[in-house]
Every structure is written in C-alpha cells, then in structure tokens.
Amino acid sequence: MHSRRAILAGSASLALILSACAQSSGGEGLSKGGTVGVAMPTRTSERWLTDGKGIIDDLHAKGYKTKLVYGEDNPEKQASQIASLIKQGVDALIIAAIDNKSLNDVLQQAADADVPVISYDRLILGTKNVDYYVSFDNEQVGRLQARYIIEKLGLEDGKGPFNIELFAGSSDDNNTRYFYEGSMHLLQPYLDSKQLVVQSGQTQLDQVTTLRWDGPTAQRRMTSILTQSYSGQKVDAVLSPYDGISLGILSALKSDGYGSGGKPLPIVTGQDAELASVQSIIKDQQSQTVYKDLRELANVASTMADDILNDRRPVLNDRFSYNNGVKVVPAHLLQPETVDKSNYEEILVTGGYYTAAELK
Ligand code: GAL
C-alpha cells in the first residue's frame, strides 16, 4: 500500500480510538476521523451549493470535521485555498476543479504532505497526484441531451431539415469534451444527412465553448447567432450542456420574439436539474435537463474519503475511461437521467430531490 495511505490509516484509527470517549464537537461534526478539506468551484451555481452541503453533511455523519471553500470561479484563488487547507493539516481533499490544469503545483504539495486527493465531478488533468475520480457517466450526459433532440424532432422517422445551434461548456473543464462528444456522436449522422443544419456554421468544439459555463456569455453568443444567421429563419433546437447556459440561451431567444406570436421556442436541453430550470420546464420554456442526483455523488465522495482514511479499498466501477494525461484515474461513476415535463414529478418530487412546493 502507498505509504501516505498507511500513515493516514494509522492516524485515523488512533483518532477513532481517542474519540470514542470524546463529545460531539457541534457544527463541525465529530472529530474521530480527522478533517477533510472540500474545495468547490463557485457559489453562483446552485448545484455546487448542494454538492458542498451534501459532502460536509455526509462527512459529519461519518465523524469527520470539514473545511469547505468556494473558489469563486477563479483558478488562482482555488489553488491558494487548497494550499491553505494543506497547511491547516487536512487529512484528505475532495476537489471540484475550476480549471483542470491549474492545480498541479498545489497537488504536489498535497502529495508531499501525504494528503490523498479525490477529484470530484471534474477530472483534474496533468498530474499523478490525484488518487480517485467520482463523477457521472459524462458521455452519457451528452448522449441523453442529443437523444432528446433526435426524438422530439422525429429525426429517426426521416423528418427535417431542422435548424440547430450547438453550445458546449467551459474549455478548461474536462467534462466539456465528454458531454460534447457524447452529443455529437449521435447528432453527427443527422448533420451529415442535412436533417440538421447549423446555420451559424459553428460546430467545432473550440467555436462553441462557454467560458466558466456562464449564462450571460451564452446569452450573448445566442443573440449574435440569431442576428447574424437567422433573418427569415427559425431555430428548432439548441444543444445546451448545462442549465445556467440554457437559461441564458432562452433569454436571448425570448428577446428575439421566440415563445410568443406564433414563434415557438426551440427545443433547449440542459443539465443539473437546477431549480430555476425545472421551473422553466414546467412553464414549457426549457425542454429538458439531465438530472444527476448530487446526494448520491456527495455520498460516494465522502464514503471514498472515509474508506481511504481507514485503509479500506474504495468502491470503484471504472478503471479505464478517465486518463488525465499522466495516468488513468480509477473512478466511481454514477448514471444520469433525462428529465422533462413528462417525468419530473416522478423523478424529482417522488425521488425527494425537490418538494412540490419548491417547484411552484
Ligand atoms: C460541469 C458539471 C456539470 C455542470 C457544469 C457547470 O463540470 O459536470 O454538471 O454543473 O460543470 O457547473
């Protein structure tokens, strides 16, 4: 076994014995298992608030203390936050990176301090100092978005041509490529057969990314596409990789008269089942989202941290798919689900993710 894991496992068991007689330390949770540092990318998207809270609640329930930081979508700030967590002596790190390549130096510091690292949702690239990856099947996310468009437009029945515009996520997020490739794998045959036409001509990944997944950036790009490529034509579908981007796209479309006066909104996909997007789906605006149960993801990450710190083998289900450029990072991947107006009640309300009142 790796030495730092052995040492950590030893100190974790000692902490366990010592804490058997200890009292609960209140808001920070029990201290028997040590401290886990959790670095999340931003507070501006609801999902990362849910992730952060889910992880720390689960870790507290397992007897750990936690230190949770948010990097405000600033890669340098996130690197210095992680450096500070290491200096404060955290025993393990769970990190959702802002920029997949900006953490190499600080993760060397983590390795030097024998702190294991779990890459959370987004794979950290270009370093050997990332131990495990927990995420969803990211290509499947893209496939679900594409499949929705294919079904709703009736492309398999030969219908078309339809106009589609393509959006992807942040260029510095490893997931972006997986989502886009998953989608394009299914959409490309219909672009080839001209059942789908991209009037803007923007189909290459580097033409369609949206830095930091920013909704207003997507809104500006959609507005400019509508102005430049759609006089006298209408958009029938927009591939959007994430709910915040979908809402930006919908704002641009509505400002252009879509959604009223005989000009229906196009199909607009999404991801994360964020509250505002589910409400938008209920109002027949956004069409679809990909639901990823963040309670499960948080649970897998905190269980993995607990396993590593107690010298148990974490549960993995993928040892091949995620090469970070230096090594294949062993992963635990969860399955995403497509959600639209027809199934949101069953999946999100009956599933306890939202209450019916929250969605009003
Ligand atoms: C990705 C993540 C998506 C979405 C996006 C924007 O890395 O996998 O679910 O949250 O970031 O935050």
Side-chain angles (χ1 to χ4, degrees):
M1 188 180 60
H2 194 294
S3 63
R4 67 181 150 133
R5 243 57 99 232
I7 294 161
L8 284 164
S11 58
S13 340
L14 179 63
L16 218 92
I17 295 160
L18 290 176
S19 72
C21 324
Q23 300 272 312
S24 159
S25 60
E28 291 230 292
L30 299 174
S31 59
K32 68 178 182 186
T35 303
V36 179
V38 181
M40 293 286 117
T42 177
R43 284 194 174 86
T44 59
S45 156
E46 172 198 314
R47 75 147 287 179
W48 299 112
L49 301 175
T50 309
D51 290 278
K53 183 169 184 322
I55 299 168
I56 61 167
D57 285 353
D58 286 350
L59 286 167
H60 289 175
K62 291 184 196 327
Y64 290 88
K65 286 185 179 173
T66 56
K67 291 183 188 293
L68 171 65
V69 293
Y70 280 88
E72 289 164 22
D73 263 340
N74 176 339
E76 293 79 35
K77 179 172 176 125
Q78 186 174 52
S80 75
Q81 285 178 327
I82 294 169
S84 150
L85 290 172
I86 297 165
K87 281 206 192 83
Q88 290 169 53
V90 295
D91 298 292
L93 281 163
I94 297 174
I95 301 171
I98 296 164
D99 174 329
N100 59 39
K101 283 192 183 129
S102 64
L103 298 176
N104 295 5
D105 289 349
V106 76
L107 292 193
Q108 187 56 50
Q109 294 168 34
D112 295 345
D114 287 335
V115 177
V117 172
I118 297 170
S119 195
Y120 185 86
D121 194 80
R122 302 171 170 177
L123 185 62
I124 298 167
L125 302 184
T127 170
K128 65 180 186 324
N129 300 314
V130 48
D131 297 275
Y132 297 104
Y133 180 43
V134 297
S135 189
F136 284 80
D137 179 339
N138 292 306
E139 261 189 56
Q140 176 67 359
V141 170
R143 285 195 288 266
L144 291 176
Q145 291 159 344
R147 234 179 251 154
Y148 192 82
I149 292 172
I150 292 166
E151 263 174 48
K152 292 292 158 185
L153 292 180
L155 297 177
E156 281 171 326
D157 302 329
K159 293 192 183 151
F162 295 106
N163 292 324
I164 186 169
E165 291 299 328
L166 309 168
F167 283 72
S170 196
S171 52
D172 53 9
D173 183 337
N174 187 55
N175 289 350
T176 292
R177 179 166 66 87
Y178 284 80
F179 299 150
Y180 197 63
E181 282 173 9
S183 293
M184 291 312 279
H185 184 69
L186 298 187
L187 294 179
Q188 191 61 49
Y190 298 106
L191 293 172
D192 294 342
S193 70
K194 308 248 180 316
Q195 279 173 270
L196 287 178
V197 179
V198 181
Q199 295 291 349
S200 70
Q202 297 169 12
T203 56
Q204 297 309 307
L205 182 56
D206 62 358
Q207 296 176 300
V208 302
T209 51
T210 314
L211 189 62
R212 301 281 134 70
W213 305 88
D214 180 51
T217 301
Q219 180 174 349
R220 283 192 294 279
R221 178 165 168 255
M222 190 71 224
T223 301
S224 113
I225 288 175
L226 289 171
T227 316
Q228 286 168 24
S229 311
Y230 283 88
S231 55
Q233 310 225 50
K234 71 175 179 41
V235 190
D236 301 298
V238 183
L239 173 72
S240 166
Y242 156 64
D243 288 347
I245 289 178
S246 316
L247 295 184
I249 291 167
L250 281 162
S251 299
L253 288 161
K254 286 189 257 173
S255 302
D256 200 65
Y258 284 83
S260 58
K263 200 173 169 190
L265 283 164
I267 294 161
V268 178
T269 61
Q271 175 178 197
D272 283 350
E274 291 199 325
L275 184 60
S277 279
V278 180
Q279 287 166 336
S280 173
I281 289 172
I282 296 169
K283 283 195 296 185
D284 293 313
Q285 302 209 334
Q286 187 172 326
S287 319
Q288 179 261 8
T289 187
V290 176
Y291 167 55
K292 307 199 296 194
D293 189 340
L294 302 177
R295 298 167 300 185
E296 257 194 273
L297 189 64
N299 188 259
V300 170
S302 56
T303 303
M304 193 177 265
D306 187 35
D307 285 341
I308 300 168
L309 293 175
N310 287 287
D311 198 19
R312 290 187 299 263
R313 200 183 285 276
V315 178
L316 303 168
N317 58 15
D318 185 297
R319 293 173 183 276
F320 307 103
S321 306
Y322 286 92
N323 189 324
N324 81 344
V326 174
K327 69 183 209 183
V328 175
V329 183
H332 187 131
L333 304 179
L334 297 168
Q335 282 308 313
E337 284 179 271
T338 198
V339 164
D340 70 357
K341 202 171 176 178
S342 70
N343 67 356
Y344 81 90
E345 276 179 312
E346 185 197 331
I347 295 187
L348 301 177
V349 181
T350 311
Y353 201 68
Y354 291 122
T355 63
E358 280 172 315
L359 296 179
K360 286 251 160 66

